[in-house]
Amino acid sequence: MTREYPDEPAGEFPSPPDTVTDGDGREIQIRPGGADDTEALVEMYLDFEAEDRAQGIPPVREEPIRDWLDVLLSDECLNVVALHDDEPIGHATLVPDEGESYELAIFVLRSYQGAGIGTHLLEHLLGHAQDEGVQYVWLTVERWNDPAIAVYKKVGFDMTSTESFELEMAITLK
């Protein structure tokens, strides 16, 4: 499948590590993630609400979560983790796809949604990707997920396909 990407590259994004204050006044650390985060992320994903799962991810049970994280936290993928009081409350990842493109996935615990953490996490993941030379990023989102679509548009993603119940969005980084 040939994906379309915007002709114009996005602007510069902030790079992790960084500390931001969310809309609820909480201090959130955002840093690159990796295999050392496995145990803490397993615990975070076990706390995920059923209605916050989309397209079958994150998995529900511990072993499938571990298997999924083994792929996401491998050296081929780029990850950033958001922490509050040293506990992960958000995770965003880029998984290599064909050519120079990466697929994006982002997750924020329900109790932290609506405070701007997803936006910060997304911006810092894209900054990390720019630092690593990533050119293209794409994602799919359920067409009724208005809050997520608004965040993706705010950060600079363009709609590239509306052919199914999922929307495809993309951004050019360089």
Side-chain angles (χ1 to χ4, degrees), residues 7-171:
D7 292 332
E8 290 298 312
E12 293 295 311
F13 292 100
S15 297
D18 198 5
T19 300
V20 299
T21 302
D22 76 0
D24 291 338
R26 297 173 290 210
E27 196 170 275
I28 306 296
Q29 289 79 41
I30 300 177
R31 63 166 174 73
D36 291 349
D37 295 305
T38 300
E39 294 309 313
L41 287 172
V42 166
E43 292 305 313
M44 183 189 94
Y45 284 119
L46 286 171
D47 288 341
F48 248 66
E49 304 282 339
E51 55 270 18
D52 292 330
R53 298 175 196 280
Q55 303 163 323
I57 56 174
V60 177
R61 294 183 337 277
E62 184 171 344
E63 279 312 306
I65 289 171
R66 287 183 181 284
D67 292 344
W68 178 67
L69 285 172
D70 281 347
V71 173
L72 297 186
L73 299 176
S74 69
D75 290 341
E76 293 81 39
C77 299
L78 297 175
N79 292 273
V80 293
V81 178
L83 302 123
H84 180 240
D85 294 336
D86 295 324
E87 294 294 325
I89 51 93
H91 172 218
T93 186
L94 291 175
V95 178
D97 195 23
E98 70 246 1
E100 297 182 53
S101 68
Y102 284 72
E103 183 178 7
L104 182 141
I106 182 171
F107 308 92
V108 177
L109 285 175
R110 177 169 287 253
S111 58
Y112 287 85
Q113 292 177 6
I117 294 169
T119 301
H120 287 298
L121 199 53
L122 191 53
E123 289 173 340
H124 285 77
L125 178 64
L126 295 174
H128 186 34
Q130 285 175 327
D131 293 346
E132 296 296 321
V134 172
Q135 184 164 2
Y136 301 114
V137 175
W138 66 277
L139 61 90
T140 57
V141 59
E142 293 167 331
R143 64 174 57 248
W144 53 85
N145 191 344
D146 294 331
I149 293 167
V151 168
Y152 298 136
K153 285 182 177 178
K154 176 180 173 183
V155 169
F157 279 83
D158 288 340
M159 205 74 66
T160 55
S161 174
T162 58
E163 299 298 311
S164 70
F165 72 94
E166 294 175 341
L167 303 175
E168 187 172 291
M169 300 178 81
I171 193 169

